[in-house]
Amino acid sequence: MSTTTVETSATVTKDSPAPAPGRVRRRGESSPLAALTSHGILIVASLVALFPVAWLVFLSLGPDKDDYLHPGRIWSKMTFDNYAFVLQHTNFFDWLTSSLIVSLGTTLLGVLVAATTGYAVSRMRFPGYRKFMWVLLVTQMFPVAVLMVPMYQIMADLQLIDTYLGLILVYCSTAVPYCAWLLKGYFDTIPFEIDEAGRVDGLSPFGTFFRLILPLAKPGLAVAAFYSFITAFGEVAFATTFMLDDQKYTLAVGLQSFVSEHDAQRNLMAATAVLIAIPVSAFFYLVQKNLVTGLTAGGTKG
């Protein structure tokens, strides 16, 4: 009896159809629900980031300065007159020229100083090299209000008040410490054997740095350049203090000319703000290929 029962069960099991195997999820592959959730979060975050920009562009198309109070009325009277007024009846191009001179000057000088500093700390072991990097970091802890008076005194003694060079040096004092830290971490990821190969080929330390290391550090240099450019292009406090001639105002300072004691031409401010964003967007487009690589490479080696 027992044997027959076992054989029957075995026969039934053997003849019955095998259950369909379920789909095995690969390692690292998310479930449909998780993918849908992550995409939904990214879409919402993108809308939140784009809304202020779209709202600014929308307000810039309103012809009246009080249209921001009744934005629904802008739809029926959209116009580009605000842009025409800013370009034709203000010192916009003088402000743009000043901003580009200061921003590009800060970028070139700041990246050069930061790159040489980061490379020296990464490759050379001189007394106090670790403390030196911490000192650079500590300089970023002081607020602008504390630095304003001593910087103004130094610039006045050097007769650099109301000059582009003075403002460039002030901005470099802000951009160089961070960029030096950034580039030091990136130089750490470049094998030291490349430096040794350059010396074997007869290159000096400067030749090795400029001919071998810098070409390999383009992503890190792109991030440092972008940070330096943004720091100088959008800064207001130092530019307002050190630039006295209205012909030398930067765009960020010139934007304040639309605000008076009793009134604010918000439609013109919005149009000017949109125009200000164009050079920054163009610069971002030029360096975007190297930004992600430069931001992440420095964290792979301590």
Side-chain angles (χ1 to χ4, degrees), residues 201-275:
D201 292 338
L203 292 177
S204 64
F206 282 101
T208 302
F209 173 66
F210 284 105
R211 298 181 62 178
L212 298 181
I213 302 301
L214 284 187
L216 297 176
K218 285 183 179 179
L221 295 175
V223 177
F226 185 71
Y227 175 80
S228 300
F229 187 87
I230 293 297
T231 298
F233 198 83
E235 202 278 332
V236 178
F238 286 129
T240 304
T241 303
F242 294 105
M243 304 303 284
L244 307 179
D245 187 356
D246 57 357
Q247 300 295 324
K248 294 182 179 180
Y249 282 170
T250 61
L251 284 170
V253 179
L255 191 62
Q256 296 180 344
S257 63
F258 298 111
V259 181
S260 62
E261 183 177 356
H262 305 289
D263 192 14
Q265 297 172 304
R266 300 185 185 276
N267 55 330
L268 300 179
M269 291 178 63
T272 307
V274 174
L275 294 174

Side-chain angles (χ1 to χ4, degrees), residues 106 109 155 158 160 164-174:
T106 302
L109 181 60
M155 291 295 105
L158 297 176
L160 293 176
Y164 293 130
L165 178 59
L167 194 58
I168 289 172
L169 294 177
V170 170
Y171 287 154
C172 284
S173 68
T174 303

Side-chain angles (χ1 to χ4, degrees), residues 65-136:
K65 62 182 179 181
D66 296 327
D67 282 336
Y68 73 98
L69 298 175
H70 308 283
R73 301 177 183 176
I74 298 179
W75 292 105
S76 59
K77 53 181 181 179
M78 285 187 177
T79 179
F80 290 97
D81 290 345
N82 294 329
Y83 294 94
F85 181 88
V86 170
L87 294 176
Q88 297 176 7
H89 301 288
T90 67
N91 294 328
F92 177 82
F93 290 104
D94 292 333
W95 302 337
L96 177 61
T97 301
S98 298
S99 294
L100 291 178
I101 292 174
V102 173
S103 300
L104 294 177
T106 302
T107 301
L108 294 176
L109 181 60
V111 172
L112 177 62
V113 175
T116 53
T117 302
Y119 178 75
V121 177
S122 175
R123 292 296 194 264
M124 303 175 185
R125 293 298 177 262
F126 51 89
Y129 75 96
R130 293 184 182 274
K131 295 181 180 179
F132 174 72
M133 294 302 293
W134 284 109
V135 169
L136 289 180

Side-chain angles (χ1 to χ4, degrees), residues 284-298:
F284 174 79
Y285 178 78
L286 294 175
V287 300
Q288 64 173 336
K289 295 181 180 179
N290 296 317
L291 281 180
V292 175
T293 303
L295 286 170
T296 58

Side-chain angles (χ1 to χ4, degrees), residues 166-201:
L167 194 58
I168 289 172
L169 294 177
V170 170
Y171 287 154
C172 284
S173 68
T174 303
V176 166
Y178 171 78
C179 293
W181 267 94
L182 174 71
L183 292 174
K184 188 267 182 186
Y186 195 90
F187 289 138
D188 287 344
T189 65
I190 299 177
F192 187 75
E193 288 75 12
I194 294 179
D195 300 67
E196 295 178 344
R199 293 169 186 170
V200 170
D201 292 338

